[in-house]
Amino acid sequence: EVPLNVKNKREELISRIKSEAGVVDSVLQEALPQGVSYHHSGLTGDERVLVEEAFCEGTITVLCCTTTLAAGINLPAARVIIRSVKTGRADLTRTRYLQMVGRAGRTGLTNSGDSFLLGYESDRKTVKKLVFGEIEKVTSCLDAKTLSMSLLHLIGSGMIKNSGDMTMYMNRTLLSIQKPDDHLTVADNTLRSLREGNLVEKKEGQIVPTAFGRAVYKSSLDPDLAHGVAKSLLDANRHLVLKGDLHLIFLCIPPDPLVNIQIDWLKFF
């Protein structure tokens, strides 16, 4: 039997979420009275705080979550259950696995904790690697592709306004430690590529995004894909026929190259 004070706290939590978000998701509405909630990137910042606080104080006892709780939040649990050895299509890394099971008990906060990793017989090799393997080496994710998007966003947000700002930013990255002789060259080449792609320009001594560049970073598009998307939209503006439903297929197709997908077009006839 759930104590009355806990029931009241759960009802109060529902009211607070409704107050913050304007509406409570139907799943949450049904789950919260049972002490169950979810935690993922779809929650607003205020909703996340309310859910995390409720879990810490025991109002919520079961929290179903994505990897948003893998690191960075001091939210210990008595037990962690990982339902799969994969995140999406990729296998869990040992680093990510350790971050996730690290939720089970915290020094100074709880005396113990346990974790369970669920998998199929075919996952035995992966499970062994996760539990007993070596931690992967940490390497910088910044390369010509990722740095292009990073610099465009920083320029668009006004955090980088000139080459000095860019140098200061690059000198504070992991790339500058792992490749101290190359990191500024990579940045210069990436900035040149953004200029040549009409994504950024120099105005009154400052680096600013062009109208096209502003559209790209606000839509969070990969700059390498942006030109292809823009060309497709221009072609669609000239040739797309809206009388039927065929144009909906155009809207649903992702901009990424579908190089690994073979389509049997004869099935459509």
Side-chain angles (χ1 to χ4, degrees):
E1 183 71 23
V2 180
L4 181 60
N5 67 317
V6 175
K7 285 184 178 180
N8 292 337
K9 284 184 178 180
R10 290 172 182 174
E11 290 299 326
E12 182 185 345
L13 176 61
I14 293 174
S15 299
R16 291 179 67 187
I17 291 176
K18 188 173 182 179
S19 169
E20 294 289 349
V23 66
V24 181
D25 179 76
S26 58
V27 175
L28 269 185
Q29 184 84 48
E30 186 176 346
L32 283 174
Q34 313 305 318
V36 179
S37 182
Y38 58 74
H39 189 291
H40 57 61
S41 58
L43 295 176
T44 66
D46 291 332
E47 287 173 331
R48 286 194 205 186
V49 170
L50 289 173
V51 169
E52 290 163 13
E53 288 177 349
F55 183 74
C56 285
E57 65 184 20
T59 303
I60 294 173
T61 54
V62 177
L63 195 57
C64 304
C65 61
T66 59
T67 51
T68 53
L69 284 184
I73 302 175
N74 192 21
L75 206 66
R79 177 173 296 161
V80 171
I81 301 174
I82 303 173
R83 62 181 292 272
S84 173
V85 298
K86 293 183 177 294
T87 52
R89 295 182 179 180
D91 287 339
L92 270 174
T93 63
R94 176 156 166 78
T95 301
R96 177 59 64 88
Y97 167 75
L98 291 176
Q99 288 176 333
M100 294 167 78
V101 299
R103 295 275 162 229
R106 279 294 172 86
T107 304
L109 295 174
T110 56
N111 294 324
S112 63
D114 51 41
S115 66
F116 293 85
L117 175 60
L118 308 182
Y120 298 98
E121 183 64 30
S122 57
D123 296 324
R124 182 180 291 272
K125 185 176 179 181
T126 303
V127 170
K128 186 176 180 180
K129 180 181 176 183
L130 290 174
V131 178
F132 303 108
E134 294 183 358
I135 296 178
E136 300 84 4
K137 291 183 178 179
V138 177
T139 56
S140 173
C141 293
L142 289 179
D143 54 26
K145 183 179 180 66
T146 56
L147 187 58
S148 178
M149 179 175 284
S150 178
L151 287 183
L152 181 59
H153 278 250
L154 289 167
I155 292 169
S157 64
M159 295 182 68
I160 289 182
K161 298 180 179 179
N162 50 56
S163 57
D165 291 340
M166 185 178 72
T167 300
M168 184 171 65
Y169 165 71
M170 291 301 299
N171 285 339
R172 285 165 171 73
T173 63
L174 179 59
L175 183 66
S176 69
I177 297 173
Q178 295 180 332
K179 295 184 178 180
D181 298 327
D182 301 329
H183 69 291
L184 292 180
T185 301
V186 173
D188 288 336
N189 292 338
T190 302
L191 183 59
R192 186 181 306 111
S193 176
L194 291 174
R195 281 182 180 142
E196 292 172 353
N198 191 36
L199 292 162
V200 301
E201 60 185 348
K202 206 163 187 178
K203 276 188 177 180
E204 299 178 358
Q206 293 190 346
I207 305 171
V208 296
T210 61
F212 177 53
R214 191 175 297 107
V216 172
Y217 91 79
K218 284 192 174 182
S219 62
S220 295
L221 265 177
D222 183 333
D224 291 339
L225 290 176
H227 289 282
V229 172
K231 183 179 182 302
S232 295
L233 290 174
L234 288 173
D235 290 342
N237 191 43
R238 289 193 295 267
H239 305 300
L240 206 61
V241 178
L242 304 180
K243 290 183 178 180
D245 296 330
L246 192 61
H247 68 283
L248 297 176
I249 297 177
F250 172 80
L251 296 175
C252 294
I253 295 176
D256 309 72
L258 304 178
V259 292
N260 296 322
I261 298 178
Q262 298 297 324
I263 300 175
D264 185 359
W265 293 105
L266 293 178
K267 290 185 178 180
F268 295 91
F269 296 95

